[in-house]
Amino acid sequence: STSLEGRKAVVTGAAQGIGKAIARALAEAGAKVVISDINGDGAKAAAAEIGHGAVGVTCDSTKADEVEKMLEDAAEDGAIDILVNNASIVPYIAWDDVDLAHWQKIIDTNLTSVFIASRKATDMMRAAGRKGTVLNIASNAFYAGTPNMSAYVAAKGGVVGFTRALATEVGKYGIRVNAVTPGLIESDGVKASPHAESFGFVEMLQAMPGKGQPADIAKVVAFLVSDDAGWMTGQCVNVDAGMIRL
Ligand code: NAD
Ligand code: 4PL
């Protein structure tokens, strides 16, 4: 199966929601997981709940110096094996309220953060001769053009483009780079936002009924970062009960 025994993993934005479920799935598959989040108390609480040697650390994914230090600490003897770029803001904002400040905050948090961590992690993997992997969490909102999140949709499109480009750049080192595009998921963040009211409409579009759960995404991520997906790179895997048909 998808054993991650002996692998070192970092999951960003993993204090709650989809990131926490990913951290749990990787830890249960045998990986040593660092749960990185701007909410350090939440990251430590998530690590304690997950167990399996998981560790919670405070790190703002938009700050290159903090991210570089976090990754060096996580690497211990050279490099991590798995980076999951999950941290992001999931806004619900009418188009008429989207101004430059919002746009820049979302591009910074949801797209530039992916560059910052991927730059450092793949440099470390190459220096250590490690055939690691990067997994980016994008969104099916990129395909659907989902309302009330225009900057978010643009940032996630950037994540998809960067996934394709970085896969090309680091493939020669045996480093794989893929993305997952979840549909609407009942995460902690969504439950506390107006997105929670969208399930009825989204379920109408899905091929299968039901509210997507963080674990539904985590299981696919655990596969993609495992050796079982060793011949997959540059791909975006859509996980949304069939809402989007690619
Ligand atoms: P969430 O809001 O429940 O959790 C996001 C986490 O990211 C929080 O713990 C938060 O503290 C952290 N975070 C935010 N900014 C950060 C920063 N600058 N540095 C470090 N950590 C930061 O979100 P979620 O719903 O679990 O979403 C997780 C991922 O899945 C995101 O990339 C999101 O875009 C994506 N996604 C979510 C859905 C959905 O419906 N929930 C759908 C598609 C994609
Ligand atoms: C279809 O990524 O993909 C709501 C909130 N609805 O964050 C998302 C859909 C949301 C989505 C998303």
Side-chain angles (χ1 to χ4, degrees):
S1 66
T2 57
S3 173
L4 300 175
E5 213 62 54
R7 309 288 164 89
K8 288 192 185 113
V10 168
V11 185
T12 68
Q16 65 177 50
I18 294 171
K20 182 173 157 186
I22 292 168
R24 189 191 306 279
L26 303 193
E28 287 176 351
K32 174 148 188 258
V33 180
V34 171
I35 292 169
S36 176
D37 205 291
I38 195 169
N39 172 10
D41 290 340
K44 288 179 173 64
E49 183 189 315
I50 288 167
H52 297 282
V55 175
V57 299
T58 310
C59 178
D60 180 344
S61 284
T62 68
K63 304 260 165 64
D65 53 345
E66 289 186 27
V67 172
E68 286 164 13
K69 182 175 186 311
M70 180 274 293
L71 289 170
E72 273 165 13
D73 290 348
E76 295 168 332
D77 67 340
I80 60 168
D81 302 281
I82 298 163
L83 169 66
V84 179
N85 287 310
N86 167 84
S88 118
I89 293 169
V90 183
Y92 185 101
I93 180 169
W95 166 242
D96 288 357
D97 295 329
V98 174
D99 59 11
L100 183 59
H102 169 79
W103 177 272
Q104 288 177 331
K105 184 177 173 66
I106 296 300
I107 297 297
D108 201 36
T109 305
N110 298 6
L111 175 58
T112 306
S113 66
V114 177
F115 162 73
I116 291 170
S118 300
R119 173 83 261 176
K120 178 67 175 177
T122 61
D123 284 350
M124 294 173 74
M125 288 169 188
R126 288 166 59 184
R130 197 75 63 90
K131 293 180 176 173
T133 188
V134 177
L135 190 289
N136 298 323
I137 302 300
S139 169
N140 84 341
F142 169 58
Y143 302 122
T146 304
N148 298 306
M149 42 190 341
S150 51
Y152 176 95
V153 170
K156 293 302 191 182
V159 170
V160 169
F162 181 59
T163 299
R164 294 174 179 178
L166 185 62
T168 306
E169 301 293 353
V170 299
K172 61 173 75 70
Y173 309 109
I175 299 170
R176 301 184 301 107
V177 185
N178 292 295
V180 166
T181 56
L184 181 60
I185 298 292
E186 198 173 29
S187 67
D188 298 298
V190 158
K191 275 194 266 191
S193 86
H195 291 297
E197 308 307 317
S198 301
F199 278 103
F201 183 73
V202 165
E203 280 190 73
M204 184 177 71
L205 300 175
Q206 289 172 190
M208 297 187 297
K211 296 181 183 180
Q213 297 301 312
D216 294 320
I217 304 307
K219 285 179 275 194
V220 177
V221 169
F223 162 70
L224 287 169
V225 301
S226 80
D227 294 346
D228 286 352
W231 200 234
M232 291 179 72
T233 193
Q235 303 305 305
C236 295
V237 177
N238 189 53
V239 185
D240 68 355
M243 175 181 149
I244 300 291
R245 320 290 160 92
L246 293 169

